[in-house]
């Protein structure tokens, strides 16, 4: 992603809405906007990796008879024609380009891919942290943020990798300062947000907050539209690391969303302190097609997740999360993660907004909470816990799930691959995930209400060679199982998920 010069960042105080602001906005409007390719190719166009770390990009086409290839690959990368993917390692940092070609009935089309290789990427791994909204809502405060940071240290979550504490909506004062700068609520944040950030940083963690790409946030606080540069400068002074940007009260069109997020992304790039943009427009405008080009490092793919196995019709539970995530794996990767939203593990039906649109009693079984966590790990989704630190609802059983090092290793794998959907036959949803060291993780989720047996057939899993024997580890227990070849079968409890790691 190119880093724009600061003069391209719009000046955003409405009192200074002058010709410079108009010109800046027009420049953004007339820059190429990313949309779905009309040649049938489905792939990310801006991709990222770290120097000398294994890279993988999967290319798909809607045309079954399309012949896909690449040209102009940088040194260290190869084309895997069997699997239609680019893989390998690039040692030197820099920006590279290569071209994906697609031939359909003799008609050849091309897509240029931009590869950024850097050890300073905004989000080389999905964040693991906490977001305030599900259980805290408008009560978010300095005391609560500090308590979460303390809990992460005290209960082993930080040691397991949970290291980001973020405030959601309603941290703001009732209005901005007279000069347009954002202000926190003075009663709940009496010592300024810089002191809160410093406290979190002193614990070895990152600090984040929330805004909206409109005049008003979802809960009615002030948003960042027309204040992008002022907000970015203030966030930098507060030592903010990551900003979740919602899309309530904004126009619905994709092109408008791209412009609005691009303005904020450019404003973040223009300040001295690195600030990561977390796009949250709920997948309605397919942000996996344009989020990276707009400055984002992750983006939500669904409406807010609720504390239920399923929320149909109208809400998003685990069942609906699977539907949202299963067909967009080729758009995910390092520094461009599809976000399946907050985890509900630890809520146990005691949240606030997490109980909305829950038909029946809110809350899930431990198997269902474990399934949510396992799938987020398979998908390399950012993971945000959302418990209320005042209520002490996180149990030992919850912590056992959330500190499982084998599953966290899947989420934090440096190749950043989202697991590919394999099958959903017979109420069994299967995914396969490529890992940096060449291992492959397999998961199977029992969507039914009765125990089932599931068989992984290696011929159905492109990442595996059906003629090779693999060492197999159960990732819930860490136990090494018997070696497997061709296929293997496992029992799965209702709404549970089994996860295995296969190694040559």
């Amino acid at each position: 992603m190119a880093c724009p010069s600061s003069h391209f960042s719009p000046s955003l105080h409405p009192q200074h809405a002058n010709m410079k602001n108009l010109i800046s906005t027009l420049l953004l409007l007339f820059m190429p906007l990313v949309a779905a390719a009309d040649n049938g190719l489905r792939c990310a166009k801006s991709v990222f990796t770290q120097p000398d770390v294994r890279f993988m990009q999967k290319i798909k086409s809607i045309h079954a008879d399309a012949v896909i290839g690449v040209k102009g690959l940088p040194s260290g990368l190869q084309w895997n024609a069997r699997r239609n993917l680019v893989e390998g390692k690039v040692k030197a940092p820099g920006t590279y380009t290569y071209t994906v070609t697609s031939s359909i009935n003799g008609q050849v089309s091309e897509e240029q891919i931009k590869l950024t290789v850097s050890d300073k990427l905004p989000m080389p791994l999905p964040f693991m942290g906490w977001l305030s909204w599900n259980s805290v809502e408008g009560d978010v405060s300095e005391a609560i943020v500090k308590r979460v940071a303390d809990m992460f240290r005290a209960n082993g979550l930080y040691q397991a990798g949970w290291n980001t504490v973020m405030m959601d909506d309603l941290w703001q004062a009732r209005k901005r300062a007279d000069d347009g700068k954002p202000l926190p609520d003075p009663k709940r944040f009496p010592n300024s947000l810089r002191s809160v950030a410093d406290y979190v940083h002193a614990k070895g963690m990152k600090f984040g907050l929330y805004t909206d790409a409109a005049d008003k946030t979802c809960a009615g606080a002030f948003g960042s539209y027309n204040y992008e540069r002022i907000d970015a400068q203030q966030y930098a002074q507060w030592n903010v690391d990551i900003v979740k940007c919602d899309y309530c009260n904004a126009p619905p069109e994709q092109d408008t969303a791209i412009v609005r997020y691009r303005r904020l992304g450019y404003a973040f790039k223009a300040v001295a302190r690195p600030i990561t943009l977390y796009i949250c427009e709920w997948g309605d405008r397919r942000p996996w097609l344009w989020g990276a080009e707009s400055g984002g490092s992750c983006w939500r793919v669904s409406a807010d997740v609720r504390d239920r196995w399923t929320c149909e019709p109208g809400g998003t539970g685990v069942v609906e999360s699977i539907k949202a995530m299963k067909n967009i794996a080729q758009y995910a990767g390092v520094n461009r993660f599809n976000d399946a939203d907050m985890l509900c593990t630890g809520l146990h039906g005691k949240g606030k907004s997490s109980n909305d649109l829950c038909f029946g009693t809110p809350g899930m079984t431990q198997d269902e909470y474990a399934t949510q966590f396992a799938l987020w790990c398979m998908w390399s989704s950012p993971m945000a816990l959302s418990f209320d630190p005042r209520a002490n609802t996180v149990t030992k059983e919850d912590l056992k799930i959330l500190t499982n090092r084998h599953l966290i290793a899947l989420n934090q794998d440096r190749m950043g691959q989202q697991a590919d959907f394999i099958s959903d036959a017979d109420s069994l949803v299967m995914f396969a995930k490529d890992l940096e060291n060449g291992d492959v993780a397999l998961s199977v989720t029992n969507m039914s209400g009765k125990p089932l047996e599931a068989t992984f057939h290696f011929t159905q899993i492109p990442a595996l060679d059906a003629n090779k024997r693999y060492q197999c580890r159960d990732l819930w227990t860490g136990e090494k199982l018997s070696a497997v070849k061709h296929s293997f079968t496992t029992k799965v409890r209702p709404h549970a998920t089994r996860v295995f790691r296969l190694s040559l």
Side-chain angles (χ1 to χ4, degrees), residues 236-283:
Q237 291 176 16
W238 285 336
N239 279 351
V240 172
D241 300 296
I242 180 170
V243 175
K244 173 184 173 182
C245 185
D246 232 328
Y247 202 67
C248 289
N249 304 306
E253 298 83 10
Q254 184 192 66
D255 286 0
T256 303
I258 293 173
V259 169
R260 291 192 176 207
Y261 280 112
R262 191 174 273 175
R263 283 172 59 163
L264 195 59
Y266 283 9
F268 287 173
K269 290 293 180 184
V271 297
R273 179 180 180 81
I275 300 176
T276 301
L277 174 60
Y278 168 10
I279 293 172
C280 181
E281 57 73 75
W282 328 296

Side-chain angles (χ1 to χ4, degrees), residues 15 24 120 137 153 171 201 272 381 386 413 426 435 490:
Q15 295 176 354
S24 297
K120 295 180 175 60
E137 293 185 353
R153 279 283 191 175
W171 59 267
H201 291 154
S381 171
S386 53
D413 187 79
D426 303 320
L435 301 170
T490 186

Side-chain angles (χ1 to χ4, degrees), residues 184-337:
D185 182 276
K187 292 184 178 179
R188 290 181 280 122
F189 299 94
N191 298 306
S192 87
L193 290 189
R194 174 62 182 265
S195 68
V196 179
D198 289 347
Y199 186 92
V200 173
H201 291 154
K203 297 285 183 177
M205 305 176 202
K206 294 182 178 181
F207 174 67
L209 51 69
Y210 166 101
T211 190
D212 194 291
D215 296 324
K216 296 291 185 181
T217 69
C218 296
F222 55 77
S224 287
Y225 183 61
N226 275 340
Y227 288 86
E228 290 90 343
R229 181 158 57 172
I230 287 176
D231 285 0
Q233 291 171 344
Q234 185 61 68
Y235 298 162
Q237 291 176 16
W238 285 336
N239 279 351
V240 172
D241 300 296
I242 180 170
V243 175
K244 173 184 173 182
C245 185
D246 232 328
Y247 202 67
C248 289
N249 304 306
E253 298 83 10
Q254 184 192 66
D255 286 0
T256 303
I258 293 173
V259 169
R260 291 192 176 207
Y261 280 112
R262 191 174 273 175
R263 283 172 59 163
L264 195 59
Y266 283 9
F268 287 173
K269 290 293 180 184
V271 297
R273 179 180 180 81
I275 300 176
T276 301
L277 174 60
Y278 168 10
I279 293 172
C280 181
E281 57 73 75
W282 328 296
D284 294 344
R285 286 149 286 269
R286 300 187 293 176
W288 47 88
L289 298 179
W290 52 264
E293 290 79 7
S294 296
S297 293
C298 63
W299 35 81
R300 280 272 298 281
V301 303
S302 73
D304 293 1
V305 167
R306 308 304 184 182
D307 192 6
R308 285 284 288 173
W309 176 251
T310 182
C311 290
E312 288 186 327
T316 302
V318 176
V319 172
E320 293 74 39
S321 294
I322 293 171
K323 293 177 182 177
M325 290 289 278
K326 73 178 187 179
N327 293 318
I328 55 174
Q330 69 272 24
Y331 295 104
V334 171
N335 197 48
R336 49 169 306 124
F337 298 105

